[in-house]
PDB file of all heavy atoms in Angstrom:
ATOM      1  N   GLY A   3     -34.576   5.322  -2.683  1.00  0.00           N
ATOM      2  CA  GLY A   3     -33.449   5.578  -3.531  1.00  0.00           C
ATOM      3  C   GLY A   3     -32.626   6.894  -3.213  1.00  0.00           C
ATOM      4  O   GLY A   3     -31.467   6.916  -3.026  1.00  0.00           O
ATOM      5  N   ASP A   4     -33.487   7.944  -3.096  1.00  0.00           N
ATOM      6  CA  ASP A   4     -32.856   9.267  -2.987  1.00  0.00           C
ATOM      7  C   ASP A   4     -32.145   9.375  -1.623  1.00  0.00           C
ATOM      8  O   ASP A   4     -31.126   9.868  -1.490  1.00  0.00           O
ATOM      9  CB  ASP A   4     -33.905  10.397  -3.212  1.00  0.00           C
ATOM     10  CG  ASP A   4     -34.390  10.457  -4.512  1.00  0.00           C
ATOM     11  OD1 ASP A   4     -33.653  10.134  -5.557  1.00  0.00           O
ATOM     12  OD2 ASP A   4     -35.482  10.998  -4.762  1.00  0.00           O
ATOM     13  N   GLU A   5     -32.894   8.852  -0.574  1.00  0.00           N
ATOM     14  CA  GLU A   5     -32.404   8.942   0.778  1.00  0.00           C
ATOM     15  C   GLU A   5     -31.171   8.017   0.910  1.00  0.00           C
ATOM     16  O   GLU A   5     -30.145   8.410   1.492  1.00  0.00           O
ATOM     17  CB  GLU A   5     -33.545   8.421   1.771  1.00  0.00           C
ATOM     18  CG  GLU A   5     -32.977   8.633   3.261  1.00  0.00           C
ATOM     19  CD  GLU A   5     -32.132   7.413   3.784  1.00  0.00           C
ATOM     20  OE1 GLU A   5     -32.295   6.323   3.177  1.00  0.00           O
ATOM     21  OE2 GLU A   5     -31.397   7.705   4.743  1.00  0.00           O
ATOM     22  N   THR A   6     -31.168   6.811   0.320  1.00  0.00           N
ATOM     23  CA  THR A   6     -30.047   5.993   0.396  1.00  0.00           C
ATOM     24  C   THR A   6     -28.782   6.591  -0.215  1.00  0.00           C
ATOM     25  O   THR A   6     -27.721   6.634   0.210  1.00  0.00           O
ATOM     26  CB  THR A   6     -30.340   4.580  -0.314  1.00  0.00           C
ATOM     27  OG1 THR A   6     -31.438   3.984   0.411  1.00  0.00           O
ATOM     28  CG2 THR A   6     -29.188   3.643  -0.211  1.00  0.00           C
ATOM     29  N   ARG A   7     -28.975   7.100  -1.501  1.00  0.00           N
ATOM     30  CA  ARG A   7     -27.820   7.704  -2.163  1.00  0.00           C
ATOM     31  C   ARG A   7     -27.252   8.889  -1.399  1.00  0.00           C
ATOM     32  O   ARG A   7     -26.121   8.976  -1.153  1.00  0.00           O
ATOM     33  CB  ARG A   7     -28.210   8.227  -3.580  1.00  0.00           C
ATOM     34  CG  ARG A   7     -27.149   8.634  -4.384  1.00  0.00           C
ATOM     35  CD  ARG A   7     -27.529   9.400  -5.764  1.00  0.00           C
ATOM     36  NE  ARG A   7     -28.631   8.624  -6.427  1.00  0.00           N
ATOM     37  CZ  ARG A   7     -29.865   9.081  -6.427  1.00  0.00           C
ATOM     38  NH1 ARG A   7     -30.224  10.150  -5.847  1.00  0.00           N
ATOM     39  NH2 ARG A   7     -30.782   8.335  -7.004  1.00  0.00           N
ATOM     40  N   ALA A   8     -28.208   9.753  -0.806  1.00  0.00           N
ATOM     41  CA  ALA A   8     -27.736  10.948  -0.089  1.00  0.00           C
ATOM     42  C   ALA A   8     -27.014  10.469   1.149  1.00  0.00           C
ATOM     43  O   ALA A   8     -25.919  11.048   1.516  1.00  0.00           O
ATOM     44  CB  ALA A   8     -28.828  11.720   0.277  1.00  0.00           C
ATOM     45  N   ALA A   9     -27.536   9.501   1.909  1.00  0.00           N
ATOM     46  CA  ALA A   9     -26.908   9.096   3.116  1.00  0.00           C
ATOM     47  C   ALA A   9     -25.621   8.416   2.849  1.00  0.00           C
ATOM     48  O   ALA A   9     -24.636   8.573   3.670  1.00  0.00           O
ATOM     49  CB  ALA A   9     -27.860   8.054   3.857  1.00  0.00           C
ATOM     50  N   ALA A  10     -25.522   7.636   1.776  1.00  0.00           N
ATOM     51  CA  ALA A  10     -24.172   6.945   1.466  1.00  0.00           C
ATOM     52  C   ALA A  10     -23.193   8.020   1.075  1.00  0.00           C
ATOM     53  O   ALA A  10     -22.027   7.971   1.641  1.00  0.00           O
ATOM     54  CB  ALA A  10     -24.392   6.038   0.252  1.00  0.00           C
ATOM     55  N   LEU A  11     -23.511   8.948   0.323  1.00  0.00           N
ATOM     56  CA  LEU A  11     -22.550   9.924  -0.078  1.00  0.00           C
ATOM     57  C   LEU A  11     -22.063  10.893   1.167  1.00  0.00           C
ATOM     58  O   LEU A  11     -20.869  11.157   1.245  1.00  0.00           O
ATOM     59  CB  LEU A  11     -23.099  10.929  -1.127  1.00  0.00           C
ATOM     60  CG  LEU A  11     -23.288  10.175  -2.531  1.00  0.00           C
ATOM     61  CD1 LEU A  11     -24.101  11.167  -3.399  1.00  0.00           C
ATOM     62  CD2 LEU A  11     -22.027   9.814  -3.140  1.00  0.00           C
ATOM     63  N   ALA A  12     -22.975  11.119   2.033  1.00  0.00           N
ATOM     64  CA  ALA A  12     -22.720  11.863   3.326  1.00  0.00           C
ATOM     65  C   ALA A  12     -21.773  11.011   4.176  1.00  0.00           C
ATOM     66  O   ALA A  12     -20.788  11.623   4.767  1.00  0.00           O
ATOM     67  CB  ALA A  12     -23.928  12.234   3.985  1.00  0.00           C
ATOM     68  N   THR A  13     -21.969   9.725   4.255  1.00  0.00           N
ATOM     69  CA  THR A  13     -21.159   8.932   5.022  1.00  0.00           C
ATOM     70  C   THR A  13     -19.707   8.850   4.388  1.00  0.00           C
ATOM     71  O   THR A  13     -18.757   8.959   5.135  1.00  0.00           O
ATOM     72  CB  THR A  13     -21.775   7.481   5.071  1.00  0.00           C
ATOM     73  OG1 THR A  13     -22.979   7.499   5.650  1.00  0.00           O
ATOM     74  CG2 THR A  13     -20.858   6.485   5.876  1.00  0.00           C
ATOM     75  N   PHE A  14     -19.545   8.666   3.157  1.00  0.00           N
ATOM     76  CA  PHE A  14     -18.450   8.610   2.491  1.00  0.00           C
ATOM     77  C   PHE A  14     -17.562   9.824   2.719  1.00  0.00           C
ATOM     78  O   PHE A  14     -16.357   9.954   2.962  1.00  0.00           O
ATOM     79  CB  PHE A  14     -18.485   8.403   0.990  1.00  0.00           C
ATOM     80  CG  PHE A  14     -19.197   7.108   0.651  1.00  0.00           C
ATOM     81  CD1 PHE A  14     -19.939   7.027  -0.647  1.00  0.00           C
ATOM     82  CD2 PHE A  14     -19.211   6.029   1.431  1.00  0.00           C
ATOM     83  CE1 PHE A  14     -20.585   5.867  -0.986  1.00  0.00           C
ATOM     84  CE2 PHE A  14     -19.774   4.829   1.072  1.00  0.00           C
ATOM     85  CZ  PHE A  14     -20.595   4.740  -0.063  1.00  0.00           C
ATOM     86  N   ALA A  15     -18.231  11.002   2.697  1.00  0.00           N
ATOM     87  CA  ALA A  15     -17.588  12.337   2.823  1.00  0.00           C
ATOM     88  C   ALA A  15     -17.076  12.513   4.295  1.00  0.00           C
ATOM     89  O   ALA A  15     -16.075  13.108   4.469  1.00  0.00           O
ATOM     90  CB  ALA A  15     -18.523  13.509   2.556  1.00  0.00           C
ATOM     91  N   SER A  16     -17.787  11.783   5.265  1.00  0.00           N
ATOM     92  CA  SER A  16     -17.297  11.938   6.601  1.00  0.00           C
ATOM     93  C   SER A  16     -16.141  10.995   6.981  1.00  0.00           C
ATOM     94  O   SER A  16     -15.557  11.181   8.012  1.00  0.00           O
ATOM     95  CB  SER A  16     -18.445  11.606   7.588  1.00  0.00           C
ATOM     96  OG  SER A  16     -18.766  10.253   7.568  1.00  0.00           O
ATOM     97  N   ILE A  17     -15.893   9.938   6.170  1.00  0.00           N
ATOM     98  CA  ILE A  17     -14.929   8.956   6.479  1.00  0.00           C
ATOM     99  C   ILE A  17     -13.475   9.411   6.154  1.00  0.00           C
ATOM    100  O   ILE A  17     -12.547   9.197   7.086  1.00  0.00           O
ATOM    101  CB  ILE A  17     -15.115   7.701   5.684  1.00  0.00           C
ATOM    102  CG1 ILE A  17     -16.417   7.030   6.231  1.00  0.00           C
ATOM    103  CG2 ILE A  17     -13.972   6.778   5.747  1.00  0.00           C
ATOM    104  CD1 ILE A  17     -16.869   5.825   5.334  1.00  0.00           C
ATOM    105  N   GLY A  18     -13.293  10.101   5.169  1.00  0.00           N
ATOM    106  CA  GLY A  18     -11.908  10.718   4.894  1.00  0.00           C
ATOM    107  C   GLY A  18     -10.926   9.647   4.394  1.00  0.00           C
ATOM    108  O   GLY A  18     -11.334   8.809   3.603  1.00  0.00           O
ATOM    109  N   PRO A  19      -9.627   9.764   4.716  1.00  0.00           N
ATOM    110  CA  PRO A  19      -8.617   8.982   4.103  1.00  0.00           C
ATOM    111  C   PRO A  19      -8.504   7.509   4.719  1.00  0.00           C
ATOM    112  O   PRO A  19      -7.493   7.238   5.251  1.00  0.00           O
ATOM    113  CB  PRO A  19      -7.355   9.797   4.425  1.00  0.00           C
ATOM    114  CG  PRO A  19      -7.606  10.407   5.722  1.00  0.00           C
ATOM    115  CD  PRO A  19      -9.099  10.802   5.583  1.00  0.00           C
ATOM    116  N   HIS A  20      -9.581   6.817   4.551  1.00  0.00           N
ATOM    117  CA  HIS A  20      -9.662   5.478   5.128  1.00  0.00           C
ATOM    118  C   HIS A  20      -9.750   4.494   3.909  1.00  0.00           C
ATOM    119  O   HIS A  20     -10.386   4.783   2.884  1.00  0.00           O
ATOM    120  CB  HIS A  20     -10.891   5.388   5.942  1.00  0.00           C
ATOM    121  CG  HIS A  20     -11.214   3.864   6.323  1.00  0.00           C
ATOM    122  ND1 HIS A  20     -10.539   3.306   7.256  1.00  0.00           N
ATOM    123  CD2 HIS A  20     -12.208   2.987   5.878  1.00  0.00           C
ATOM    124  CE1 HIS A  20     -11.128   1.985   7.405  1.00  0.00           C
ATOM    125  NE2 HIS A  20     -11.974   1.937   6.488  1.00  0.00           N
ATOM    126  N   ARG A  21      -8.939   3.354   4.011  1.00  0.00           N
ATOM    127  CA  ARG A  21      -9.062   2.418   2.935  1.00  0.00           C
ATOM    128  C   ARG A  21     -10.143   1.410   3.334  1.00  0.00           C
ATOM    129  O   ARG A  21     -10.028   0.879   4.432  1.00  0.00           O
ATOM    130  CB  ARG A  21      -7.649   1.660   2.815  1.00  0.00           C
ATOM    131  CG  ARG A  21      -6.633   2.727   2.422  1.00  0.00           C
ATOM    132  CD  ARG A  21      -5.223   1.922   2.324  1.00  0.00           C
ATOM    133  NE  ARG A  21      -5.137   1.077   1.191  1.00  0.00           N
ATOM    134  CZ  ARG A  21      -4.349  -0.053   1.091  1.00  0.00           C
ATOM    135  NH1 ARG A  21      -3.573  -0.327   2.075  1.00  0.00           N
ATOM    136  NH2 ARG A  21      -4.351  -0.715  -0.004  1.00  0.00           N
ATOM    137  N   THR A  22     -11.019   0.976   2.333  1.00  0.00           N
ATOM    138  CA  THR A  22     -11.945   0.073   2.594  1.00  0.00           C
ATOM    139  C   THR A  22     -11.321  -1.349   2.765  1.00  0.00           C
ATOM    140  O   THR A  22     -10.172  -1.674   2.291  1.00  0.00           O
ATOM    141  CB  THR A  22     -12.926  -0.066   1.470  1.00  0.00           C
ATOM    142  OG1 THR A  22     -12.294  -0.539   0.291  1.00  0.00           O
ATOM    143  CG2 THR A  22     -13.639   1.265   1.246  1.00  0.00           C
ATOM    144  N   SER A  23     -11.901  -2.304   3.430  1.00  0.00           N
ATOM    145  CA  SER A  23     -11.401  -3.555   3.682  1.00  0.00           C
ATOM    146  C   SER A  23     -11.138  -4.370   2.288  1.00  0.00           C
ATOM    147  O   SER A  23     -10.198  -5.125   2.060  1.00  0.00           O
ATOM    148  CB  SER A  23     -12.296  -4.518   4.555  1.00  0.00           C
ATOM    149  OG  SER A  23     -13.601  -4.591   4.009  1.00  0.00           O
ATOM    150  N   MET A  24     -12.064  -4.157   1.258  1.00  0.00           N
ATOM    151  CA  MET A  24     -11.879  -4.756  -0.111  1.00  0.00           C
ATOM    152  C   MET A  24     -10.608  -4.199  -0.712  1.00  0.00           C
ATOM    153  O   MET A  24      -9.854  -5.010  -1.361  1.00  0.00           O
ATOM    154  CB  MET A  24     -13.109  -4.462  -0.842  1.00  0.00           C
ATOM    155  CG  MET A  24     -13.013  -5.279  -2.210  1.00  0.00           C
ATOM    156  SD  MET A  24     -14.559  -5.244  -3.143  1.00  0.00           S
ATOM    157  CE  MET A  24     -15.601  -6.267  -2.282  1.00  0.00           C
ATOM    158  N   ALA A  25     -10.394  -2.806  -0.587  1.00  0.00           N
ATOM    159  CA  ALA A  25      -9.131  -2.395  -1.193  1.00  0.00           C
ATOM    160  C   ALA A  25      -7.936  -2.897  -0.552  1.00  0.00           C
ATOM    161  O   ALA A  25      -6.904  -3.269  -1.183  1.00  0.00           O
ATOM    162  CB  ALA A  25      -9.151  -0.820  -1.056  1.00  0.00           C
ATOM    163  N   VAL A  26      -8.009  -3.080   0.916  1.00  0.00           N
ATOM    164  CA  VAL A  26      -6.889  -3.717   1.522  1.00  0.00           C
ATOM    165  C   VAL A  26      -6.731  -5.219   1.079  1.00  0.00           C
ATOM    166  O   VAL A  26      -5.602  -5.665   0.933  1.00  0.00           O
ATOM    167  CB  VAL A  26      -7.132  -3.679   3.106  1.00  0.00           C
ATOM    168  CG1 VAL A  26      -6.034  -4.403   3.840  1.00  0.00           C
ATOM    169  CG2 VAL A  26      -7.120  -2.136   3.522  1.00  0.00           C
ATOM    170  N   ASP A  27      -7.822  -5.959   0.971  1.00  0.00           N
ATOM    171  CA  ASP A  27      -7.748  -7.376   0.582  1.00  0.00           C
ATOM    172  C   ASP A  27      -7.114  -7.492  -0.814  1.00  0.00           C
ATOM    173  O   ASP A  27      -6.349  -8.203  -1.137  1.00  0.00           O
ATOM    174  CB  ASP A  27      -9.078  -7.958   0.628  1.00  0.00           C
ATOM    175  CG  ASP A  27      -9.548  -8.237   2.070  1.00  0.00           C
ATOM    176  OD1 ASP A  27      -8.733  -8.173   3.008  1.00  0.00           O
ATOM    177  OD2 ASP A  27     -10.691  -8.287   2.276  1.00  0.00           O
ATOM    178  N   VAL A  28      -7.595  -6.544  -1.785  1.00  0.00           N
ATOM    179  CA  VAL A  28      -7.117  -6.709  -3.169  1.00  0.00           C
ATOM    180  C   VAL A  28      -5.562  -6.433  -3.155  1.00  0.00           C
ATOM    181  O   VAL A  28      -4.778  -7.146  -3.769  1.00  0.00           O
ATOM    182  CB  VAL A  28      -7.796  -5.729  -4.038  1.00  0.00           C
ATOM    183  CG1 VAL A  28      -7.042  -5.523  -5.357  1.00  0.00           C
ATOM    184  CG2 VAL A  28      -9.160  -6.252  -4.336  1.00  0.00           C
ATOM    185  N   ALA A  29      -5.154  -5.328  -2.446  1.00  0.00           N
ATOM    186  CA  ALA A  29      -3.746  -5.037  -2.319  1.00  0.00           C
ATOM    187  C   ALA A  29      -2.865  -6.115  -1.838  1.00  0.00           C
ATOM    188  O   ALA A  29      -1.760  -6.363  -2.283  1.00  0.00           O
ATOM    189  CB  ALA A  29      -3.525  -3.727  -1.607  1.00  0.00           C
ATOM    190  N   ALA A  30      -3.507  -6.838  -0.888  1.00  0.00           N
ATOM    191  CA  ALA A  30      -2.728  -7.921  -0.112  1.00  0.00           C
ATOM    192  C   ALA A  30      -2.822  -9.342  -0.826  1.00  0.00           C
ATOM    193  O   ALA A  30      -2.347 -10.270  -0.452  1.00  0.00           O
ATOM    194  CB  ALA A  30      -3.197  -8.107   1.311  1.00  0.00           C
ATOM    195  N   GLY A  31      -3.561  -9.330  -1.933  1.00  0.00           N
ATOM    196  CA  GLY A  31      -3.782 -10.603  -2.762  1.00  0.00           C
ATOM    197  C   GLY A  31      -4.635 -11.550  -2.085  1.00  0.00           C
ATOM    198  O   GLY A  31      -4.556 -12.739  -2.226  1.00  0.00           O
ATOM    199  N   ARG A  32      -5.553 -11.067  -1.152  1.00  0.00           N
ATOM    200  CA  ARG A  32      -6.502 -12.011  -0.488  1.00  0.00           C
ATOM    201  C   ARG A  32      -7.896 -12.008  -1.197  1.00  0.00           C
ATOM    202  O   ARG A  32      -8.177 -11.108  -1.964  1.00  0.00           O
ATOM    203  CB  ARG A  32      -6.789 -11.526   1.030  1.00  0.00           C
ATOM    204  CG  ARG A  32      -5.475 -11.550   1.857  1.00  0.00           C
ATOM    205  CD  ARG A  32      -5.867 -11.340   3.265  1.00  0.00           C
ATOM    206  NE  ARG A  32      -6.283  -9.925   3.532  1.00  0.00           N
ATOM    207  CZ  ARG A  32      -5.561  -9.034   4.128  1.00  0.00           C
ATOM    208  NH1 ARG A  32      -4.295  -9.220   4.380  1.00  0.00           N
ATOM    209  NH2 ARG A  32      -6.020  -7.774   4.315  1.00  0.00           N
ATOM    210  N   PRO A  33      -8.728 -12.998  -0.984  1.00  0.00           N
ATOM    211  CA  PRO A  33     -10.025 -13.195  -1.570  1.00  0.00           C
ATOM    212  C   PRO A  33     -10.848 -11.874  -1.095  1.00  0.00           C
ATOM    213  O   PRO A  33     -10.583 -11.454   0.098  1.00  0.00           O
ATOM    214  CB  PRO A  33     -10.544 -14.461  -0.941  1.00  0.00           C
ATOM    215  CG  PRO A  33      -9.461 -15.233  -0.566  1.00  0.00           C
ATOM    216  CD  PRO A  33      -8.355 -14.196  -0.153  1.00  0.00           C
ATOM    217  N   THR A  34     -11.780 -11.568  -1.859  1.00  0.00           N
ATOM    218  CA  THR A  34     -12.772 -10.468  -1.466  1.00  0.00           C
ATOM    219  C   THR A  34     -14.216 -10.999  -1.378  1.00  0.00           C
ATOM    220  O   THR A  34     -14.409 -12.102  -1.611  1.00  0.00           O
ATOM    221  CB  THR A  34     -12.750  -9.271  -2.500  1.00  0.00           C
ATOM    222  OG1 THR A  34     -13.366  -9.675  -3.608  1.00  0.00           O
ATOM    223  CG2 THR A  34     -11.281  -8.923  -2.822  1.00  0.00           C
ATOM    224  N   GLU A  35     -15.000 -10.076  -0.945  1.00  0.00           N
ATOM    225  CA  GLU A  35     -16.539 -10.411  -0.948  1.00  0.00           C
ATOM    226  C   GLU A  35     -17.327  -9.994  -2.132  1.00  0.00           C
ATOM    227  O   GLU A  35     -18.439  -9.867  -2.047  1.00  0.00           O
ATOM    228  CB  GLU A  35     -17.117  -9.625   0.390  1.00  0.00           C
ATOM    229  CG  GLU A  35     -16.481 -10.107   1.609  1.00  0.00           C
ATOM    230  CD  GLU A  35     -16.997  -9.342   2.783  1.00  0.00           C
ATOM    231  OE1 GLU A  35     -16.777  -8.159   2.988  1.00  0.00           O
ATOM    232  OE2 GLU A  35     -17.656 -10.087   3.724  1.00  0.00           O
ATOM    233  N   ILE A  36     -16.566  -9.928  -3.242  1.00  0.00           N
ATOM    234  CA  ILE A  36     -17.255  -9.392  -4.524  1.00  0.00           C
ATOM    235  C   ILE A  36     -18.374 -10.290  -5.007  1.00  0.00           C
ATOM    236  O   ILE A  36     -19.324  -9.780  -5.575  1.00  0.00           O
ATOM    237  CB  ILE A  36     -16.265  -9.264  -5.641  1.00  0.00           C
ATOM    238  CG1 ILE A  36     -16.738  -8.238  -6.689  1.00  0.00           C
ATOM    239  CG2 ILE A  36     -15.849 -10.575  -6.156  1.00  0.00           C
ATOM    240  CD1 ILE A  36     -17.032  -6.894  -6.281  1.00  0.00           C
TER     241      ILE A  36
END
């Protein structure tokens, strides 16, 4: 759990101003993978 949380947060911090595919799908009115 600790490693997964730290790795996820580090990855998110490295991505920057990127929109996730789910955010794009919601904005476009398309089905998502929820």
Side-chain angles (χ1 to χ4, degrees):
D4 291 339
E5 185 279 333
T6 298
R7 188 189 317 106
L11 293 172
T13 298
F14 301 151
S16 71
I17 289 174
H20 170 76
R21 299 179 72 201
T22 66
S23 61
M24 185 173 287
V26 172
D27 288 340
V28 164
R32 294 192 293 260
T34 74
E35 299 179 292
I36 199 64

